[in-house]
């Protein structure tokens, strides 16, 4: 069928007036105009919940197609063929009576501006076709694909035939040219039916595709939530089970004071661990900076080293810091979030120094960027471990969840920072954090 229509259209445009490519160009131009609103269909789909904006966008897109199709009609055998009924029918079915009325008014106004004759009589001729819109649009969203294509072709043909016959009847015009070239008129109607059918098919395909995308995203979100819930339950259950067991031991009569203190300390440590896990999850849920300010890197690194020094001395670890005295290192971000990220990375570095060692913290400025290096002489990591570092539920520690590192990496990236990790098993790890300086960020 399509092959036949295309062959007839080629034969049609090669007859009589002018070179063939002139008519073919006009047909192709109109086809391009009618299909152009599909380029913006993703925006239509995303805004479908906002009825006003969805209808407005639908009207604007198809009004543009309507006006352009009226501006570039196809003239064959002294007969002018317009494709205005195609965008009018599609927008009416997908937008409803409101969009349809706006398009009808736009059509009549633009026809008047073009200087076409008998505008009032043409308005009387086209208005009856609005009854077909009211009749067909209600059940249109609930129909199957082949039914939608059939209804769209029916409405397009009804608009054209109703307007055409009513206008010639009112104006008592001559149908001699139409009767003289019936095949050309029939082919034009068939071509419009094919165009609107393909257009409806494309819109339904795009709609199904975007619906499928949404379902995939929803299923991924559901999977993430379920995995996180399972992880929370698992991680919180471990310390709570430990606390429950030691509370039962504390209730025994034969437990001396020293053991009670030992049990109490373990209970408190496990409760602190549970609190830390909850804090990590809360930080994961809200990683964005809350208060943007200028951060002095000197002060934050000094604070970090003072905070870690007690823990480091207890584990026979030395902390060295190297800060340039002649440069003021400043970045932009949330001070407390930035501090949280540094503390987390620093603690991970110290925990990697199981048999003692050195943690070195350096800061420098290079090409309008602030660079912070944290080097440890710990156990190091393999390339595979570095690749997985910062992903949910992955940790190189026995009791770790990996969320603290993930949150830290998220904070750094939110501050427009970059993270580079180099490590070698048995030799240590280096974290290189690069931030834009405050002058560049501003």
């Amino acid at each position: 069928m399509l092959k036949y229509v295309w062959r007839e259209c080629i034969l049609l445009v090669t007859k009589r007036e002018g070179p063939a490519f002139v008519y073919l160009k006009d047909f192709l131009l109109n086809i391009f105009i009618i299909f152009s609103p599909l380029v913006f269909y993703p925006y239509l789909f995303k805004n479908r919940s906002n009825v006003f904006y969805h209808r407005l966008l639908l009207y604007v897109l198809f009004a543009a197609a309507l006006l352009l199709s009226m501006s570039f009609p196809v003239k064959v055998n002294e007969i002018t063929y317009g494709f205005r009924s195609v965008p009018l029918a599609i927008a009416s079915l997908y937008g409803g009576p409101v969009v349809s009325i706006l398009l009808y008014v736009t059509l009549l106004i633009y026809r008047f501006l073009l200087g076409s004759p008998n505008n009032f009589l043409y308005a009387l001729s086209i208005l009856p076709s609005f009854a077909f819109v009211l009749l067909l649009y209600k059940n249109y969203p609930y129909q199957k694909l082949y039914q939608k294509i059939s209804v769209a072709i029916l409405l397009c043909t009804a608009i054209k035939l109703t307007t055409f016959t009513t206008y010639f009847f009112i104006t008592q015009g001559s149908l001699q040219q139409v009767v003289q070239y019936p095949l050309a008129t029939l082919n034009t109607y068939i071509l419009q039916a094919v165009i609107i059918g393909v257009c409806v098919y494309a819109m339904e395909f795009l709609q199904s595709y975007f619906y499928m995308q949404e379902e995939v995203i929803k299923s991924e979100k559901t999977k993430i939530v379920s995995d996180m819930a399972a992880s929370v339950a698992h991680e919180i259950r471990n310390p709570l089970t430990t606390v429950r067991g030691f509370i039962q031991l504390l209730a025994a009569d034969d437990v001396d004071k020293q053991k009670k203190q030992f049990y109490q300390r373990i209970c408190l440590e496990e409760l602190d661990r549970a609190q830390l896990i909850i804090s990590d999850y809360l930080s994961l849920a809200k990683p964005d900076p809350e208060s943007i300010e200028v951060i002095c890197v000197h002060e934050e690194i000094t604070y970090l080293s003072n905070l870690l020094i007690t823990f480091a001395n207890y584990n026979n670890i030395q902390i060295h810091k190297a800060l340039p005295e002649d440069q003021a290192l400043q970045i932009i971000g949330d001070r407390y979030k930035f501090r949280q990220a540094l503390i987390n990375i620093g603690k991970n570095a110290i925990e990697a120094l199981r048999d003692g060692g050195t943690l070195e913290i350096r800061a420098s400025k290079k090409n309008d960027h602030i660079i912070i290096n944290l080097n440890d002489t710990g156990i190091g990591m393999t390339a595979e471990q570095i690749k997985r570092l910062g992903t949910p539920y992955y940790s190189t520690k026995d009791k770790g969840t990996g969320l603290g590192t993930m949150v830290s990496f998220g904070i750094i990236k939110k501050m427009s920072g970059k993270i580079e990790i180099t490590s070698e098993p048995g030799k240590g790890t280096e974290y290189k954090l690069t931030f834009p300086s405050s002058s560049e960020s501003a």
Side-chain angles (χ1 to χ4, degrees), residues 211-409:
Y211 268 122
M212 190 180 302
Q213 270 192 334
E214 282 192 346
E215 290 300 319
V216 170
I217 293 172
K218 287 180 181 178
S219 64
E220 288 294 327
K221 287 181 178 179
T222 304
K223 184 178 182 299
I224 291 172
V225 171
S226 62
D227 289 344
M228 187 169 289
S231 177
V232 170
H234 173 72
E235 297 296 338
I236 297 297
R237 186 186 295 117
N238 289 339
L240 292 182
T241 302
T242 303
V243 171
R244 186 176 185 277
F246 279 103
I247 289 177
Q248 289 176 338
L249 292 176
L250 285 171
D253 297 332
D254 57 343
V255 179
D256 57 30
K257 184 178 180 180
Q258 186 177 1
K259 285 187 176 180
K260 284 185 177 181
Q261 291 177 347
F262 175 70
Y263 295 158
Q264 183 181 7
R265 181 169 62 84
I266 292 180
C267 288
L268 292 174
E269 288 177 355
E270 291 299 307
L271 289 175
D272 289 340
R273 188 159 74 90
Q275 185 178 3
L276 180 62
I277 293 170
I278 294 172
S279 298
D280 286 341
Y281 275 96
L282 291 176
S283 298
L284 182 65
K286 193 177 182 181
D288 294 335
E290 299 175 353
S291 173
I292 305 301
E293 57 183 313
V294 177
I295 302 172
C296 179
V297 176
H298 288 75
E299 294 179 3
E300 296 306 313
I301 290 180
T302 302
Y303 178 88
L304 174 66
S305 60
N306 292 336
L307 183 69
L308 298 177
I309 193 70
T310 304
F311 183 49
N313 290 337
Y314 180 78
N315 292 277
N316 194 27
I317 297 170
Q318 294 182 349
I319 297 179
H320 301 296
K321 62 178 181 178
L323 301 173
E325 298 180 359
D326 58 336
Q327 288 181 314
L329 307 182
Q330 294 180 332
I331 59 176
I332 296 293
D334 187 324
R335 180 187 305 274
Y336 297 102
K337 294 288 186 182
F338 176 69
R339 186 174 293 177
Q340 176 188 357
L342 286 185
I343 291 173
N344 197 303
I345 294 173
K347 285 182 65 178
N348 287 343
I350 288 178
E351 290 172 357
L353 298 166
R354 297 175 181 176
D355 300 323
T358 303
L359 172 62
E360 183 179 3
I361 306 173
R362 303 192 313 272
S364 60
K365 185 175 182 180
K366 184 178 181 181
N367 296 331
D368 295 327
H369 283 78
I370 306 301
I371 300 174
I372 301 173
N373 298 85
L374 290 90
N375 297 72
D376 67 67
T377 57
I379 58 174
M381 292 182 289
T382 63
E384 181 63 27
Q385 288 175 318
I386 294 175
K387 185 178 179 181
R388 296 184 61 188
L389 200 63
T391 58
Y393 320 123
Y394 177 76
S395 175
T396 56
K397 296 180 289 187
D398 294 335
K399 295 184 178 181
T401 62
L403 294 175
T405 304
M406 181 180 178
V407 169
S408 300
F409 286 11

Side-chain angles (χ1 to χ4, degrees), residues 193-205:
V194 172
I195 292 173
I196 195 171
V198 174
C199 193
V200 170
Y201 177 83
M203 291 184 70
E204 292 297 318
F205 174 80

Side-chain angles (χ1 to χ4, degrees), residues 110-129:
Y110 192 64
R111 190 178 187 276
F112 172 77
L113 295 176
L114 289 175
S116 301
N118 304 320
N119 288 289
F120 179 73
L121 297 179
Y122 182 82
L124 293 178
S125 302
I126 198 173
L127 284 179
S129 64

Side-chain angles (χ1 to χ4, degrees), residues 97-138:
V98 176
V99 176
S100 182
I101 291 172
L102 291 174
L103 286 174
Y104 271 87
V105 173
T106 303
L107 187 154
L108 295 174
I109 293 174
Y110 192 64
R111 190 178 187 276
F112 172 77
L113 295 176
L114 289 175
S116 301
N118 304 320
N119 288 289
F120 179 73
L121 297 179
Y122 182 82
L124 293 178
S125 302
I126 198 173
L127 284 179
S129 64
F130 184 70
F132 290 99
V133 175
L134 297 177
L135 181 65
L136 298 173
Y137 93 96
K138 288 185 179 179

Side-chain angles (χ1 to χ4, degrees), residues 38-58:
L38 296 183
V39 177
F40 302 94
Y41 191 80
Y43 300 99
L44 280 170
F45 184 82
K46 289 179 182 178
N47 293 281
R48 68 189 185 282
S49 57
N50 188 334
V51 178
F52 173 78
Y53 187 73
H54 177 77
R55 287 177 177 174
L56 177 62
L57 189 59
L58 192 70

